[in-house]
Amino acid sequence: MTSDRAEEERDEWCFEFNVSSERLVHQSEADRLLDEAIHWAGAHRLGVGGSYKPASAEVNNACVSWAFRFGLCASEDEQLIPRESASDLWDLLSAVCQHRGFICTGGFRAFTAEELGEGL
C-alpha cells in the first residue's frame, strides 16, 4: 500500500536549498548545478524557472554559500509531475553536490497557495 503523499502530482514543485562549502564556491559552479537541473528537466519534458543568489558575502563571483530557489514545472497543458519525479531530480542534485564536495541543505516541496497567488 502506498501513501497519498507518494502519489501526489503537481504542475509545479518548489526547489529551495542552499549549497555551501568550507571553500569559496564560484558562481560558475553554481551555474553548472542549475544547468544540471535544466538538463534533467528538459530530458523529462519539463521546465525549470527560477535562479540562485549569494547566501553569504560574495568575493569575485564566489561565496561559501549559494541559495537556490526554482520551480520544476510542467511544460504541456494538463501535465502533472509526480512527487517521485521531483524526488529523482532532488536525488541527482544532492549527488552532484556530494561529488563536488558541497554541503546541500533544503529540498523540494509544493508551492504554497500564497506563493502561487491563490486566494488573493
Side-chain angles (χ1 to χ4, degrees), residues 14 24-25 46 54 86 95:
C14 179
L24 288 175
V25 179
L46 300 170

Side-chain angles (χ1 to χ4, degrees), residues 14-97:
C14 179
F15 282 72
E16 195 165 31
F17 59 96
N18 280 22
V19 172
S20 60
S21 178
E22 291 182 11
R23 66 170 179 81
L24 288 175
V25 179
H26 292 275
Q27 183 175 357
S28 61
E29 294 173 293
D31 285 342
R32 285 195 300 270
L33 187 59
L34 189 56
D35 287 346
E36 288 279 351
I38 293 167
H39 177 76
W40 184 94
H44 291 85
R45 296 181 20 239
L46 300 170
V48 168
S51 63
Y52 63 91
K53 63 183 179 182
S56 64
E58 187 176 9
V59 178
N60 296 327
N61 292 324
C63 59
V64 295
S65 182
W66 294 93
F68 286 78
R69 188 166 191 278
F70 61 83
L72 174 65
C73 52
S75 61
E76 300 172 8
D77 289 342
E78 299 183 34
Q79 180 183 26
L80 294 175
I81 306 164
R83 174 177 283 279
E84 182 179 7
S85 292
S87 182
D88 288 347
L89 174 56
W90 177 246
D91 290 346
L92 170 70
L93 295 174
S94 297
V96 168
C97 285

